[in-house]
Amino acid sequence: MSERLVIARLAHSLRYEWGAGAAGGLVGGVGMGIVFHAGANLMPFVGALYGWPTVVGGWAVHLLNSVLAGVVFSLLVSHPLVDEQTTELAEYVAAGVVYAAAIGLLSTGVLLPVSMQALGVQSFPEPLVPLPGLLGTFLVVVSVGVAHVVYGVLLGATYAVVHDHSRASVDVTEES
């Protein structure tokens, strides 16, 4: 096999893996954002963490972060060690859910407190949700948890579909 063909295949593969990750991140981000917005009205809070405390600001930064996280996911699952283990749709979905859980733990356990401290915020804005006290707090926690699961499922599924489509197009090109 010629060196040019190897480089062309590698470039084609990486482009589609990153594209599959970005597409999965966007689709997952939309699903997650719907849960955030409908479940606990969190989008203005997400925007506030970036200095844009509106629903539109929240959606903008959330979708950007979701796409970037999808690209990182594509880099992780394309590693040969992981790539050998993920061949079926269900395996990509499982990888997406595990990845989203890790993001959830990192973002709410480390990044959120650091961001709030940098902004000088001592507590969540009240009322964050229309329900008072522990019920409102419970709704936020459940919404964040469900939102990350939704992100992971949609990320993994979308990545698998787009990635398999790109593999099929590479196989057709190789046969020509």
Side-chain angles (χ1 to χ4, degrees):
M1 187 179 315
S2 75
E3 184 178 319
R4 273 185 14 177
L5 183 57
V6 169
I7 291 171
R9 282 186 186 169
L10 179 61
H12 186 270
S13 176
L14 287 177
R15 182 176 67 237
Y16 280 102
E17 285 175 12
W18 292 352
L26 182 61
V27 170
V30 169
M32 182 181 192
I34 290 170
V35 174
F36 271 172
H37 190 70
N41 193 31
L42 288 173
M43 294 317 275
F45 178 72
V46 171
L49 293 172
Y50 293 87
W52 197 1
T54 65
V55 172
V56 171
W59 273 103
V61 297
H62 169 70
L63 290 177
L64 176 64
N65 287 338
S66 296
V67 168
L68 293 174
V71 171
V72 171
F73 175 78
S74 72
L75 295 173
L76 293 173
V77 296
S78 66
H79 187 278
L81 192 64
V82 179
D83 190 44
E84 294 172 1
Q85 303 299 319
T86 49
T87 58
E88 303 291 327
L89 176 66
E91 293 164 342
Y92 281 108
V93 169
V97 170
V98 168
Y99 178 70
I103 288 175
L105 291 173
L106 177 67
S107 63
T108 57
V110 176
L111 299 177
L112 180 61
V114 168
S115 297
M116 289 176 65
Q117 186 176 11
L119 292 171
V121 175
Q122 300 300 317
S123 64
F124 291 115
E126 294 296 333
L128 184 61
V129 294
L131 302 172
L134 288 177
L135 188 57
T137 301
F138 179 73
L139 180 61
V140 169
V141 170
V142 168
S143 292
V144 169
V146 169
H148 280 88
V149 170
V150 167
Y151 179 80
V153 167
L154 294 174
L155 169 66
T158 304
Y159 179 86
V161 169
V162 173
H163 187 257
D164 284 350
H165 175 70
S166 69
R167 278 189 180 172
S169 68
V170 170
D171 292 344
V172 169
T173 305
E174 289 175 2
E175 292 173 5
S176 307

